Amino acid sequence: MPFITTSDGVEIFYQDFGSGRPVLFSHGWPLSSEAWERELKLFADHGYRVIAHDRRGHGRSSRSRTGNDMDTYAADLAALVDALDLRDLSLVGHSTGGGEVVRYAARHGAGRVSKVVTVGAVPPYMIVTEENPDGTPLEALDGIRAGVLADRSQFYQDLTTPFFGADREGSTISQGQRDDFWRQGMLVGLQSAYDCVKAFSETDFTEDLRALDVPVLIAHGDDDQIVPIKAAAYRSIDIVRLGTLKVYPGAPHGIVGAYQEQLDKDILEFLAE
């Protein structure tokens, strides 16, 4: 299996298929590159080289007690992109991965990155403040940490309900999809899972968004119960210079079903522009 080794000795697993212009996918918490399996096949079938990695501590990458923060995640991504010498690169990031690709592109991507796509992403800043009244209360994030620490197996099972909108009328999420979320989540080291909550929720990406000088597609479901659209996409689109906002009515945080089908079409169209 392919790995790269970071400067602090962490092994980062990645998948790499196809040929053509490269597209790199970054997953959400607490998942892995396997969250993008449909896209890896679909985009490779459309003539792209597709790459997806497991964030440190997640999936098949090394578990690490250190470096579970957004600066290091972006540096790990830079190490992977440099090792593969990827250029004219499009980045696609979901949730936490959206923050990761924005920070990478802003700080490391000059001369390599040509387009950025965020999906249900955490930028610009997730926590509720006076300037961000639609954000998430810190107490809710503390609850996530407590759930992970106390009984992460049951917590991940319960989390699939708001993540996929299973509590909404007309939901078509399958038990298999919920089980796969749990399976991926259980591969994350406890330390990494716990620390990543702070990384995705308390990192301010405002200046990263301002620094982007490439086209950015900001995609978000308007029924996202994990990353509320008002605090995320609606604020991000006002910050980026070359942004396009795509809102999916009734779509949840998790990328599944008809939402996934339309999103994939929209991303392929954006990349082809």
Side-chain angles (χ1 to χ4, degrees), residues 78-148:
L80 175 60
V81 171
D82 290 351
L84 299 179
D85 194 24
L86 302 176
R87 300 182 185 276
D88 192 16
L89 172 65
S90 295
L91 301 166
V92 182
H94 174 236
S95 195
T96 301
E100 181 180 274
V101 299
V102 164
R103 176 140 297 183
Y104 164 78
R107 299 192 178 185
H108 305 277
R112 291 190 181 274
V113 175
S114 59
K115 291 185 178 181
V116 175
V117 180
T118 67
V119 184
V122 294
Y125 186 63
M126 195 171 173
I127 298 292
V128 65
T129 64
E130 192 172 308
E131 296 77 26
N132 187 33
D134 296 306
T136 302
L138 182 60
E139 293 78 12
L141 282 304
D142 289 339
I144 293 176
R145 280 183 279 261
V148 168

Side-chain angles (χ1 to χ4, degrees), residues 232-256:
Y234 286 161
R235 293 185 65 218
S236 292
I237 193 61
D238 289 335
I239 299 171
V240 297
R241 282 179 277 173
L242 302 171
T244 300
L245 175 64
K246 182 71 176 179
V247 178
Y248 296 82
H253 188 64
I255 306 172
V256 290

